[in-house]
Each structure stands twice: as C-alpha cells, then as structure tokens.
Amino acid sequence: MASSTAGQVIKCKAAVAWGAGEPLKIEEVEVAPPQAMEVRIKVHYTALCHTDLYFWEAKGQTPLFPRILGHEAAGVVESVGEGVTDLKEGDSVLPVFTGECGECRHCKSEESNMCDLLRINTDRGVMINDGKSRFSINGKPIYHFLGTSTFSEYTVVHVGCVAKINPEAPLNKVCILSCGVSTGMGATLNVAKPKKDSTVAIFGLGGVGLAAAEGARIAGASRIIGIDLNSDRFEKAKLFGVTEFINPLEHQKPIQQGWGVAVLVGVPHSDAVFATSPVNFLNERTLKGTFFGNYKPRSDLPGLVELYLAKKLELEKFITHEVSFADINKAFDYMIKGESLRCVINMIGN
C-alpha cells in the first residue's frame, strides 16, 4: 500500500544554512517526490559530524548556500521513485554520503568502495538524476549536501546511498553508523588490520579517532595509545580501550620507534599537504588512505548494525548529547567547544 503522501510535495521543517558560519534557521521547505532511482526518507534521528561543521564554516571548502546540511542519520522510507525495487515504504534505513551502484568496477571489486557513480561529491548541491534540487522555499531551490541533507524532516536520496537495516535496531543509536563510527572503525579493521596483541597508536581522539580505538579493541590489540593535544580527552578514551596517552605538547622531541602501517582518515583542509622522506617507507613503514573505512554502504552497514544488536559493538558511549530539532544549533556549540563526541538530534520529537 502506497504512502498517502507518495507522489506529492511534502511541506516540512528543515534547518537551513543561509551563509557561512550563520546559525541554522528552521524553515518550512517543500520536498519534491523522489524521481527515478530515488528514495524519500522521513528522518527520525540525525547526528552532527565534523564534516557538517567544516562545510558550514566554509573556511577551507567551497561555499555553497543556502544549503541543508546533515549526513549522519537514520530514518524510515516514506516513498520510492521509479525503478526502486529493493526498498519500500516503512523500511528502516541509513542514508549515506557515499554510494554503491553495484555495477561499476569499484563496486564489483573487493578492494574499493569508491563507486564511480555515487562516490562523495562535496561541491554538488543537486541530484544526479536531473541536476535539480528536491528542496525549495517559495519556489527557490535550496542546495543538497553530500546527497543526504538530513537536517530536514524529510529528504530525498539516491537509492544507491541508502542501506536497509534490521527494523529492530534503535534508530537513535545506529544513526551514527552512517559516517564517523564506521569510518574510524573500518580504518582499523579493514585497512590497518592489526593482529591480536598488537600495538595501535591513534592520533586525534575525537569521534572518528575513538571509533578507530573501538576497532582496535575489537581486533584484540594489547596496547592502544591515544595521542591528542587536549589532555581532557584522555579519561573518556579509556572507555574505548585506550591504554596509554601522549600529549605532544608535553614532549620536546618526536617519538619514533618500530615499523608498521599508518592510515590517513578524515576530510583534510583543501590546501593541506604533507612531506616525508622516501627512506621512511624503506624502513618497513606503509602509508595508506581510507574512505568511509573501506565499507561498501549498502553491503556492509547492515552487518555493522547486527554487530551492535549482538552487543559486540558499543555505540552508546559515542553519544554524549541529544537535543531537539529546534535546538540544533546547540549541537554546533557543543562540537565547537569540544564538549561532544556525537550529539544526536531528535527529528520526531518523542
């Protein structure tokens, strides 16, 4: 049975970023029906990720406003567009900022998750199907963000960027799997691949870094060394299995020992560069990069949800705050002050 709103424009509330660094404003927006290979989702919970903050500040990124930010969320399918066969109204889903078309060389590879069609595009503010936005206010288009725009009560996402999950999963917890936790955990489990009883060092103990620590804990690392310029983060990190702490400000010279694999994670400043001597690689050191922890969104995220339901993955300890949708700007304040790991925003008000 089709949703009563299927095929119709939905009016709802969304938090719109009108300019760089300006507080988000709750507006009534119109959300168009999903087109071919698209899904319209009722967002139940969304979380604030540092990537949202970076693009809201627009200091090192291309500014694109007005825009509806948000990309770490969970919700329920409201309706589907033409050609969508594997999702239906009422399915519990995680919208994801990158996708899996299932047909390209990357999707068919066991090594890559960089889908040719749906890989992340931070500058695109429209849907790939027709180059138009599904959001508008009084006829004026509002730009999308990362193909997800979850700071809206309803959003439209390409079907390849939607992971169907177990309906028993609590959406206010598993919402954080659609970005940061999976990125950090996968960087450890899928890319660094530490053996049991090995040593893992993690630079930066924010949400993604602590997710990397959680991955090291799951892998059975015996030493997990946390490195951060903020010593206040060290106590919290113990909950994630971190056994030792280093604040570089308390040391006069670099600490270098042994060999191993270094994995780069996260969104760098657009002008960021680094340099090193080739000798460092000849001394049995390896440098790798990862995108979304090397997870394929539709194939792998349902399994992470099952890992949580089986109590093998702990998500509650990542969530330090929860706010109502009306108070979404508080989530930004918590993150800017360094007070939160993940702040979950309740979009349904119960």
Side-chain angles (χ1 to χ4, degrees):
M1 180 177 172
S3 161
S4 61
T5 49
Q8 301 177 26
V9 171
I10 289 178
K11 289 185 177 182
C12 70
K13 289 183 170 60
V16 178
W18 288 99
E22 296 180 13
L24 304 190
K25 189 174 180 183
I26 304 294
E27 305 274 14
E28 183 178 82
V29 301
E30 294 189 337
V31 185
Q35 301 303 303
M37 303 308 290
E38 295 175 358
V39 180
R40 189 158 60 183
I41 298 168
K42 179 175 176 59
V43 179
H44 283 216
Y45 296 92
T46 185
L48 180 65
C49 171
H50 256 112
T51 303
D52 298 307
L53 185 68
Y54 293 150
F55 283 87
W56 169 69
E57 292 176 330
K59 292 177 179 177
Q61 314 294 344
T62 304
L64 186 63
F65 299 100
R67 201 172 202 182
I68 298 174
L69 299 169
H71 65 283
E72 194 171 275
V76 172
V77 173
E78 175 270 338
S79 62
V80 301
E82 180 185 348
V84 176
T85 57
D86 54 349
L87 290 171
K88 64 182 185 306
E89 179 195 349
D91 283 343
S92 292
V93 293
L94 301 179
V96 188
F97 63 92
T98 189
E100 181 183 353
C101 73
E103 299 296 328
C104 72
R105 59 197 174 99
H106 292 278
C107 288
K108 290 181 177 180
S109 161
E110 293 183 1
E111 301 297 322
S112 175
N113 65 348
M114 299 291 288
C115 176
D116 280 333
L117 179 66
L118 299 170
R119 73 177 62 175
I120 186 173
N121 184 323
T122 58
D123 294 331
R124 186 193 298 128
V126 294
M127 300 298 289
I128 63 172
N129 183 43
D130 58 4
K132 296 179 181 179
S133 174
R134 301 290 174 262
F135 299 106
S136 63
I137 296 178
N138 297 324
K140 179 182 177 181
I142 306 297
Y143 291 116
H144 292 250
F145 177 63
L146 300 184
T148 50
S149 292
T150 60
F151 292 169
S152 173
E153 292 175 325
Y154 287 87
T155 190
V156 177
V157 182
H158 191 284
V159 66
C161 299
V162 180
K164 181 180 177 180
I165 62 170
N166 190 328
E168 298 299 317
L171 299 184
N172 61 331
K173 302 295 190 294
V174 299
C175 62
I176 64 173
L177 284 172
S178 62
C179 182
V181 171
S182 300
T183 296
M185 203 167 69
T188 304
L189 294 173
N190 298 335
V191 186
K193 298 178 180 177
K195 292 184 170 63
K196 184 174 171 56
D197 294 325
S198 59
T199 298
V200 176
I202 297 161
F203 293 79
L205 298 177
V208 173
L210 291 177
E214 180 76 354
R217 181 190 68 79
I218 292 171
S222 60
R223 292 179 70 194
I224 304 176
I225 304 168
I227 300 139
D228 201 289
L229 299 175
N230 182 356
S231 297
D232 292 340
R233 290 181 164 182
F234 293 163
E235 195 62 33
K236 176 75 173 178
K238 292 178 182 178
L239 297 175
F240 298 82
V242 175
T243 57
E244 302 166 51
F245 306 99
I246 296 173
N247 186 333
L249 298 177
E250 298 173 357
H251 296 266
Q252 302 302 314
K253 60 181 181 179
I255 301 171
Q256 291 184 336
Q257 61 184 53
W259 61 92
V261 178
V263 181
L264 297 181
V265 190
V267 180
H269 189 284
S270 59
D271 297 325
V273 295
F274 71 88
T276 188
S277 168
V279 173
N280 286 326
F281 297 109
L282 298 178
N283 291 334
E284 298 182 331
R285 292 179 175 131
T286 301
L287 179 64
K288 292 184 174 184
T290 180
F291 174 70
F292 194 48
N294 279 33
Y295 287 118
K296 294 180 187 288
R298 292 200 293 170
S299 298
D300 296 332
L301 284 190
L304 294 185
V305 170
E306 295 304 320
L307 203 63
Y308 166 73
L309 292 174
K311 302 189 184 304
K312 295 179 180 177
L313 167 62
E314 301 171 14
L315 295 178
E316 286 81 0
K317 60 191 177 185
F318 287 95
I319 301 169
T320 53
H321 298 78
E322 181 172 326
V323 297
S324 67
F325 188 27
D327 288 332
I328 189 170
N329 287 301
K330 286 184 179 179
F332 282 78
D333 293 338
Y334 292 141
M335 182 166 282
I336 291 168
K337 293 175 183 177
E339 296 176 358
S340 67
L341 287 178
R342 276 297 181 271
C343 180
V344 171
I345 300 147
N346 185 336
M347 305 290 287
I348 55 175
N350 59 14

